Amino acid sequence: MSYDPPKLAEAVVAGERRALARLITLVENDAVAARPALRHLFPRTGRARVLGITGAPGVGKSSLVDRLIAAHRAAGLTVAVVAVDPTSPFTGGAILGDRIRMQRQATDPGVFIRSLATRGYLGGLSRSTAEVVSVLDAFGFDIIIVETVGTGQAEVDIVQLAHTTVVVTVPGLGDEIQAIKAGVLEIADVFVVNKGDLPGAERTVRELESMLDLGGERLWRPPVVTTVAREDEGISNLMAALAEHRGYLESSGQLQQKQEKRMQRVITDLVIDLRAEPVLRLARETGQLAVVAAEAARRRLDPYSAATRIVEEYRSKEEDR
Amino acid sequence: MSYDPPKLAEAVVAGERRALARLITLVENDAVAARPALRHLFPRTGRARVLGITGAPGVGKSSLVDRLIAAHRAAGLTVAVVAVDPTSPFTGGAILGDRIRMQRQATDPGVFIRSLATRGYLGGLSRSTAEVVSVLDAFGFDIIIVETVGTGQAEVDIVQLAHTTVVVTVPGLGDEIQAIKAGVLEIADVFVVNKGDLPGAERTVRELESMLDLGGERLWRPPVVTTVAREDEGISNLMAALAEHRGYLESSGQLQQKQEKRMQRVITDLVIDLRAEPVLRLARETGQLAVVAAEAARRRLDPYSAATRIVEEYRSKEEDR
């Protein structure tokens, strides 16, 4: 099979799964090379529902995602899962649980599961996640679930990517509630208290509801759904909450707003690429970056002057052309 | 007191703590406005030892940092702590535990503690953390401890910022060991098994040691130190491990390499600012970004063409000048 990006894009549009897997690999490994393919696929995107699932390790996100796959499949919808694993920034390895799931769902052509790990450079993971979601969207998946370990930047990025963000917690996670108080509250469209058969489940629900009471009037009040994912309990309630939020997004105009905001971010990133990439490439190729960085490390040159020098060097080369 | 950045920088150099606090606030709130001050302070940086402390919530990072403050103070060194809180991306609130500590250490002029929370934009937190560390360095603190909740991008950034990274775990955290296996292994210069009086502590140490055995030959093998931070146990062993790693960094030339690498990153970020900021500012001010994003959200324009259009618009304006 060809690795030529436009041909890969054609094959993705034609529904070839191997092309899909290859294009995703290309997006992960070489964002610049993948760009023509993404450009080709762009008009076919914007149809999938993107669902973000986040929460601390051990709250049962994977089991929940498993149940959501089954529930959506039962409703006749195809599902792709992107498991974002920011805990393995260096090895680039897949999540163990994800591999297990992959085997389980491998026989169903209506399901696609893929792990993404950060490549260690800033913003790299969130951008490649967004691009992988676009590819899956263009391929035609009805539902795309983005699953991530819940802390910090990854959550912020999910909010910008997902139409509906589900924050998963479990009873008795004192720290977890702290974290929710501190800010996760504002990213959740739906709360799930999983492992709802554990002691203290009702108390956790009550605490979340009180926090939501304190949050004041809002157009959308996130529902708190109790589940026991391993026993398949509460999943229909969760599906109903997701459908309700989707209805809210559409009727309120929030869906369009979210999409415009996301496009602003995508275009901003591309402007940064277009403006800064050639400058930095030249500075790397000529060794200028390494030289000025060594000078700066010795405090002989400040980084602000160093950056200005690099930009001026590029400009003078540009004028020569 | 003046908010004028160069004057603030002068006051920081003169050792005024209120100026220090204000400059940090400026760095957090308006990175562009703070830049002249940072430039002014740059020649005075590069002296502090920067220590990263990371680990999952609940492993006792704060208690450990408390003990490290006391141990370094006892050795006659001044200590600044930057508590990075990526779990509160939206509220910008300080960590609760940190406030408590702040009260405890408030009477000691050789200690400075500050919380930073993400402002919700990509890369914002890691950059402002790096800048705050520079300010504290220029002020003259001997030791700067950067404490962060351990998952993902925040850790990658700590590695790039800290000279020595300490990964904290506790006995019986199954998920935690998984996470370590997945990649944290590679960022740790020193492992701490805290709450070492809990059952299973020895097993956790053995597991970490076996993982390190599997890792093969390396110039530096991270020591595994057992502590009970609340009881002040094992802290002198940890201090010895930190000193040993410092010695390794200096004798191996790694310290210089780390600093050059970090400067490459700082300069790269500044090149991006210089090249992309004016373009994006113009596109925001004229409303062009909003217009093309709305078109892209409707799939009438692809984001790649939109970004190209923005760059061309800027270039044509630039030529008119």
Side-chain angles (χ1 to χ4, degrees):
Chain A
M1 186 190 292
S2 168
Y3 278 95
D4 176 49
K7 281 188 188 156
L8 267 183
E10 293 287 355
V12 166
V13 171
E16 289 178 28
R17 270 180 95 99
R18 278 182 62 206
L20 176 65
R22 286 203 178 172
L23 183 52
I24 290 174
T25 302
L26 187 66
V27 165
E28 276 195 287
N29 295 335
D30 190 347
V32 175
R35 209 174 289 160
L38 292 171
R39 190 169 188 161
H40 185 88
L41 292 177
F42 180 75
R44 297 183 172 267
T45 60
R47 298 176 204 176
R49 295 186 195 175
V50 184
L51 201 62
I53 309 272
T54 188
V59 298
K61 287 184 297 296
S62 298
S63 312
L64 204 65
V65 168
D66 260 5
R67 296 301 180 181
L68 284 174
I69 293 171
H72 282 107
R73 292 296 294 134
L77 299 168
T78 57
V79 184
V81 178
V82 184
V84 180
D85 185 5
T87 56
S88 57
F90 291 87
T91 51
I95 301 169
L96 185 71
D98 183 58
R99 291 222 175 116
I100 295 163
R101 266 189 292 159
M102 231 182 283
Q103 289 166 354
R104 256 210 274 170
Q105 310 272 6
T107 49
D108 181 353
V111 176
F112 183 90
I113 299 175
R114 180 73 172 238
S115 284
L116 296 181
T118 131
R119 287 288 178 270
Y121 67 98
L122 188 78
L125 184 61
S126 60
R127 279 189 70 174
S128 57
T129 303
E131 288 168 354
V132 168
V133 166
S134 286
V135 171
L136 293 165
D137 188 352
F139 186 85
F141 283 104
D142 299 311
I143 307 290
I144 300 168
I145 299 176
V146 181
E147 175 191 343
T148 188
V149 173
T151 20
Q153 197 61 53
E155 278 164 351
V156 181
D157 294 338
I158 270 207
V159 177
Q160 296 185 344
L161 194 61
H163 301 129
T164 300
T165 300
V166 178
V167 173
V168 188
T169 185
V170 290
L173 251 192
D175 277 326
E176 176 66 5
I177 296 290
Q178 280 297 349
I180 286 171
K181 271 188 187 155
V184 180
L185 193 60
E186 284 149 79
I187 71 165
D189 299 311
V190 174
F191 278 108
V192 167
V193 177
N194 192 32
K195 305 188 184 178
D197 51 350
L198 287 181
E202 278 172 36
R203 204 185 134 198
T204 304
V205 172
R206 272 201 311 274
E207 281 175 3
L208 284 168
E209 294 284 6
S210 327
M211 275 160 43
L212 291 167
D213 289 341
L214 292 171
E217 284 289 309
R218 274 177 295 180
L219 287 171
W220 171 258
R221 183 188 165 113
V224 182
V225 181
T226 305
T227 60
V228 188
R230 288 203 178 165
E231 308 291 329
D232 208 14
E233 281 170 27
I235 304 303
S236 57
N237 290 341
L238 176 54
M239 289 291 282
L242 297 177
E244 206 185 330
H245 186 250
R246 182 72 187 186
Y248 159 74
L249 285 180
E250 280 168 359
S251 63
S252 64
Q254 287 279 320
L255 191 63
Q256 180 63 22
Q257 270 186 43
K258 269 196 178 215
Q259 281 168 345
E260 287 184 17
K261 224 172 151 186
R262 199 164 109 54
M263 277 304 145
Q264 287 203 14
R265 162 82 176 271
V266 169
I267 295 166
T268 296
D269 283 345
L270 289 167
V271 167
I272 290 170
D273 286 354
L274 286 171
R275 289 287 294 176
E277 246 178 24
V279 183
L280 291 166
R281 199 185 313 130
L282 181 71
R284 275 190 215 104
E285 282 170 6
T286 60
Q288 195 192 9
L289 181 61
V291 170
V292 294
E295 288 291 290
R298 285 176 182 81
R299 264 67 189 174
R300 285 190 213 133
L301 176 70
D302 77 85
Y304 311 92
S305 308
T308 307
R309 206 182 280 179
I310 285 173
V311 169
E312 279 165 6
E313 177 79 14
Y314 177 81
R315 276 204 194 122
S316 72
K317 289 252 162 96
E318 211 182 23
E319 275 165 18
D320 288 348
R321 265 177 231 149
Chain B
M1 188 189 291
S2 169
Y3 278 97
D4 175 50
K7 282 190 188 155
L8 267 183
E10 293 288 357
V12 166
V13 171
E16 290 178 27
R17 270 180 93 100
R18 278 181 62 205
L20 176 66
R22 286 203 178 172
L23 182 53
I24 290 174
T25 303
L26 186 66
V27 164
E28 276 196 287
N29 295 334
D30 190 348
V32 175
R35 209 174 288 159
L38 293 171
R39 190 169 187 162
H40 186 88
L41 293 177
F42 180 75
R44 297 182 172 268
T45 61
R47 299 175 203 176
R49 294 187 197 174
V50 184
L51 200 63
I53 309 272
T54 188
V59 298
K61 287 184 298 296
S62 298
S63 312
L64 204 66
V65 169
D66 259 6
R67 296 301 180 184
L68 284 174
I69 293 172
H72 282 107
R73 291 298 293 136
L77 298 168
T78 58
V79 184
V81 178
V82 184
V84 181
D85 185 5
T87 56
S88 57
F90 291 86
T91 53
I95 301 170
L96 185 71
D98 183 58
R99 293 221 175 118
I100 295 164
R101 267 190 290 160
M102 230 182 285
Q103 288 166 356
R104 257 210 274 169
Q105 311 270 8
T107 49
D108 181 352
V111 177
F112 183 90
I113 300 175
R114 180 73 171 237
S115 284
L116 296 180
T118 130
R119 287 290 178 269
Y121 67 97
L122 189 79
L125 184 61
S126 60
R127 279 189 69 175
S128 56
T129 303
E131 288 167 356
V132 167
V133 166
S134 286
V135 172
L136 293 164
D137 188 351
F139 186 85
F141 283 103
D142 300 311
I143 308 290
I144 300 168
I145 300 177
V146 181
E147 174 192 344
T148 188
V149 172
T151 21
Q153 197 60 53
E155 278 163 349
V156 180
D157 295 337
I158 268 207
V159 177
Q160 296 186 343
L161 193 61
H163 301 130
T164 301
T165 300
V166 179
V167 173
V168 188
T169 186
V170 290
L173 251 192
D175 277 326
E176 177 65 2
I177 298 288
Q178 279 298 348
I180 287 170
K181 272 187 187 157
V184 180
L185 193 59
E186 283 149 81
I187 71 165
D189 299 310
V190 175
F191 278 108
V192 167
V193 177
N194 192 33
K195 304 188 184 179
D197 52 350
L198 287 182
E202 279 173 35
R203 205 186 133 198
T204 303
V205 172
R206 274 201 310 275
E207 281 176 3
L208 284 168
E209 294 284 7
S210 327
M211 273 160 44
L212 291 167
D213 289 341
L214 291 172
E217 283 290 308
R218 272 176 297 181
L219 288 171
W220 171 258
R221 181 188 165 112
V224 181
V225 181
T226 304
T227 60
V228 188
R230 288 205 177 165
E231 309 291 328
D232 207 13
E233 282 171 27
I235 304 302
S236 56
N237 290 342
L238 176 55
M239 289 291 282
L242 296 178
E244 206 185 327
H245 186 251
R246 181 74 187 185
Y248 159 74
L249 285 180
E250 280 167 359
S251 62
S252 64
Q254 287 280 319
L255 192 62
Q256 181 64 21
Q257 269 187 44
K258 270 197 179 216
Q259 280 168 344
E260 288 184 17
K261 223 173 153 187
R262 199 165 108 54
M263 277 304 145
Q264 287 204 14
R265 162 81 177 271
V266 169
I267 295 166
T268 296
D269 283 345
L270 289 167
V271 167
I272 290 170
D273 285 354
L274 287 172
R275 289 286 293 174
E277 248 179 23
V279 184
L280 291 167
R281 199 184 313 130
L282 181 71
R284 275 189 215 106
E285 281 170 6
T286 60
Q288 196 192 9
L289 180 61
V291 169
V292 294
E295 288 292 290
R298 285 176 182 80
R299 265 68 189 171
R300 284 189 211 134
L301 177 71
D302 77 86
Y304 312 92
S305 308
T308 308
R309 207 182 280 180
I310 284 172
V311 169
E312 278 166 6
E313 178 79 14
Y314 177 82
R315 275 200 196 127
S316 72
K317 289 250 162 95
E318 211 180 25
E319 277 166 18
D320 287 350
R321 265 176 232 152

